[in-house]
Amino acid sequence: MASDRIGFIGLGNMGSPMALNLLRAGRDVVVFDISRGAADPHLAAGATWGESASGVASQVDVLITMLPGPRQVEDVMLRQGAAAALRPGSVWVDMSTSSPEIAHLVAGASLDDRGIHRLDAPVSGMVRGATAGTLQVFVGGDADVLERVRPVFDILARPETVFHMGRHGAGYVTKIVGNQLWFSHLVATAEVLTLGAKAGIDVELLRRTIAASPSSSTLIERDIMCVYEGDYDEGFAVSLAAKDSGLAVSLGRELGVSVELSALVEQIYRRAALTFGPLAGEMSPVKLYEDVAGIKLQPGLR
Ligand code: NAD
C-alpha cells in the first residue's frame, strides 16, 4: 500500500540507490546498515535512522533486506532479531540474492506463526538499473502479498519487469539460474575473444562479427565492451558473483541435478576473487584470461 512505512536494511551498491528512489518517490523510509556512513545520503533525503536491524523491523509495515547473501540475511533476521521484531501483518521482502533455505528457516523461526508475510524478490539490472529504477524483480510467494507490495516494486522497477515466478523460493531460484547463465557466458566469451585476439584478429571486429551471428548474447553485444577501458564492473563484486555461482552449484546438489559447467565457472570466479581481491569487479575472470595469454582485450590489430 502507498501508506506502508518501509524499512530498508543493506545500503550497498544496489540497496543505496534503491532506497534513494523510494525516498524520492515520497515514501516514508527507515534505514539501517552496519556501516552507519552508508546511510548519509538517505538521511539527507529524509530517511529515519533505525539504530539497529530490529529497531527498523519494529516500526515498519514492509521490511526490505538487500544484503550480500544468505549468511548476512540469517544474521540480520535471526541473530540481530529483525524477524522477531516484525509486527503481525507486516511483510518481509528479501531482495538479496540468497537461498530459499535461509528464508524458510527465518519463516519457521518467527514469521509463519505470527501472521507475518514474506516474499523473495531478488533483482537483476546492475547498479545502472537500481539507479534508474528499471530493475527486473523475480518474486516468489503469494500473489495477494505481491499485490500489496507492488506499489513499492513499481518504484524500483518497470511494472512489466516484475515477474511473479511462483511460490516461496521461486524468485531466488530464477535469479540464481539466470545469473549463472550470465557468468557462464562471461567465461566463455572471455575465452574465445582471448583466443581470437591472440591469433591476431581485431577484438572489436571479432566481437561485432560474433554479435551478428547465432552465437550472440547481450554480453557480446553490449556488456563486454567495458573491459576495453580496464573496467571490470566494480558495481558488483567478484566475491558476490562467486557466492551466487556457489548458490547455483548448491541448488544442483540439493536437487540431484549435475551442474558440471556451473561448478567449473564457480571455480574460475573464486580464482578471480583470490587473484584480484574480493572487491574486484564481476568481470574479473576476463582479466584472468588476459593475464595468462599476456594480452589486453582492446580494439585494434595486435
Ligand atoms: P554490497 O556489498 O555493495 O552491499 C551490501 C550492504 O549490506 C553493505 O552496505 C553492507 O554494509 C551491508 N551489510 C552487510 N552485512 C550486514 C549486516 N549484517 N547488517 C546490516 N547491513 C549489512 O552488495 P550489493 O552489490 O549491493 O548487492 C546486494 C545484493 O544484491 C547481493 O545479494 C547481490 O548478489 C545482489 N545483486 C547485486 C547486483 C550488483 O550489480 N551489485 C545486481 C543484482 C543483484
Side-chain angles (χ1 to χ4, degrees):
M1 280 184 285
S3 58
D4 278 339
R5 192 171 208 211
I6 302 167
F8 207 110
I9 302 179
L11 302 166
N13 286 327
M14 294 294 284
S16 178
M18 290 165 69
L20 276 174
N21 282 338
L22 295 174
L23 287 159
R24 286 182 187 131
R27 301 302 301 256
D28 181 9
V29 186
V30 186
V31 295
F32 179 71
D33 192 289
I34 36 166
S35 161
R36 163 90 203 221
D40 286 349
H42 310 85
L43 301 183
T48 304
W49 175 246
E51 298 296 344
S52 65
S54 57
V56 174
S58 66
Q59 52 178 313
V60 299
D61 306 295
V62 174
L63 175 67
I64 296 176
T65 44
M66 191 53 173
L67 295 158
R71 196 163 48 81
Q72 294 81 5
V73 171
E74 185 176 3
D75 180 40
V76 163
M77 296 305 293
L78 294 181
R79 275 187 288 280
Q80 294 188 45
L86 280 167
R87 298 177 300 200
S90 59
V91 187
W92 170 43
V93 183
D94 186 23
M95 303 192 80
S96 325
T97 306
S98 185
S99 70
E101 293 68 46
I102 295 300
H104 187 68
L105 190 73
V106 171
S110 57
L111 303 186
D112 291 345
D113 60 351
R114 295 194 302 126
I116 297 165
H117 312 286
R118 66 178 165 115
L119 295 174
D120 42 297
V123 303
S124 294
M126 304 170 133
V127 171
R128 196 171 46 220
T131 306
T134 56
L135 292 168
Q136 295 90 49
V137 186
F138 314 112
V139 184
D142 297 342
D144 53 339
V145 181
L146 166 56
E147 287 318 308
R148 173 167 167 195
V149 178
R150 195 178 283 281
V152 176
F153 290 149
D154 286 350
I155 297 167
L156 305 174
R158 290 198 193 95
E160 65 273 21
T161 58
V162 177
F163 302 101
H164 188 202
M165 301 308 300
R167 60 188 178 184
H168 292 306
Y172 291 129
V173 172
T174 304
K175 171 63 185 169
I176 289 167
V177 300
N179 248 17
Q180 185 56 40
L181 183 58
W182 192 91
F183 300 143
S184 299
H185 276 158
L186 179 94
V187 170
T189 302
E191 194 165 292
V192 299
L193 290 185
T194 303
L195 261 181
K198 192 78 179 174
I201 301 176
D202 175 357
V203 72
E204 175 54 13
L205 176 61
L206 181 60
R207 184 197 67 76
R208 278 192 269 121
T209 307
I210 296 173
S213 81
S215 308
S216 190
S217 64
T218 55
L219 197 101
I220 198 106
E221 282 168 12
R222 188 189 67 197
D223 296 345
I224 194 73
M225 280 188 285
C226 63
V227 306
Y228 294 164
E229 314 296 326
D231 173 3
Y232 297 90
D233 187 17
E234 289 179 6
F236 186 35
V238 69
S239 54
L240 289 185
K243 172 266 305 183
D244 287 357
S245 196
L247 289 174
V249 175
S250 299
L251 196 61
R253 193 172 295 122
E254 274 160 41
L255 298 174
V257 175
S258 53
V259 290
E260 293 96 332
L261 180 60
S262 300
L264 177 60
V265 169
E266 182 204 4
Q267 292 299 319
I268 293 170
Y269 264 86
R270 287 182 53 193
R271 177 182 287 272
L274 288 168
T275 307
F276 305 117
L279 297 180
E282 63 172 329
M283 292 194 184
S284 297
V286 178
K287 189 158 167 46
L288 284 180
Y289 279 91
E290 291 178 323
D291 288 358
V292 167
I295 59 165
K296 176 80 199 73
L297 294 179
Q298 270 170 341
L301 286 175
R302 304 184 52 75

